[in-house]
Amino acid sequence: MSIDIDHLPVTNNRDRGRYEVRLDDQLGRIDYILDEGLVTFTHAEVPPALQGQGIAQRMARTALEDARQEGLAVRSLCSFVSWYINQHPEYQPLLRKEGVA
């Protein structure tokens, strides 16, 4: 299955606290907790059949752009989101500085 990543819809499912990509019956997601101006990304998951196609990167980019637009600080407890931020330094200013509530 060839996926057009740039046009892949990513949904912010606020009720479930996660960004989602749905393809057929498959669900990719990045879970988060939102609390008083801080979004904490906790977990990323893409089904094995969809891995390696850039879906998690598309979700991470969307989530971080949303955080930027909403003026949220970011904390990542998710190794994938942390890796993505390290690879894309334009998102590093969003990271919450240690010791700042």
Side-chain angles (χ1 to χ4, degrees):
M1 173 189 316
S2 179
I3 300 170
D4 182 2
I5 290 300
D6 291 330
H7 296 99
L8 186 66
V10 177
T11 304
N12 182 358
N13 185 337
R14 293 179 190 273
D15 290 339
R16 293 189 177 242
R18 65 188 187 197
Y19 282 84
E20 301 175 338
V21 167
R22 291 187 183 276
L23 290 169
D24 299 322
D25 62 343
Q26 305 276 344
L27 174 68
R29 69 179 208 256
I30 293 180
D31 300 333
Y32 67 86
I33 299 166
L34 182 59
D35 185 36
E36 297 184 20
L38 174 68
V39 60
T40 301
F41 296 106
T42 59
H43 179 73
E45 186 173 318
V46 174
L50 300 176
Q51 290 177 359
Q53 299 183 61
I55 292 170
Q57 291 186 51
R58 174 82 167 108
M59 288 188 295
R61 183 173 68 229
T62 299
L64 291 165
E65 283 298 322
D66 283 359
R68 177 182 288 163
Q69 289 178 1
E70 294 176 26
L72 300 172
V74 169
R75 177 174 51 195
S76 180
L77 302 178
C78 169
S79 59
F80 180 82
V81 174
S82 295
W83 172 86
Y84 187 85
I85 292 169
N86 284 333
Q87 297 300 308
H88 297 87
E90 65 270 24
Y91 296 117
Q92 291 176 6
L94 299 176
L95 291 173
R96 185 184 79 171
K97 306 296 184 234
E98 291 303 315
V100 176

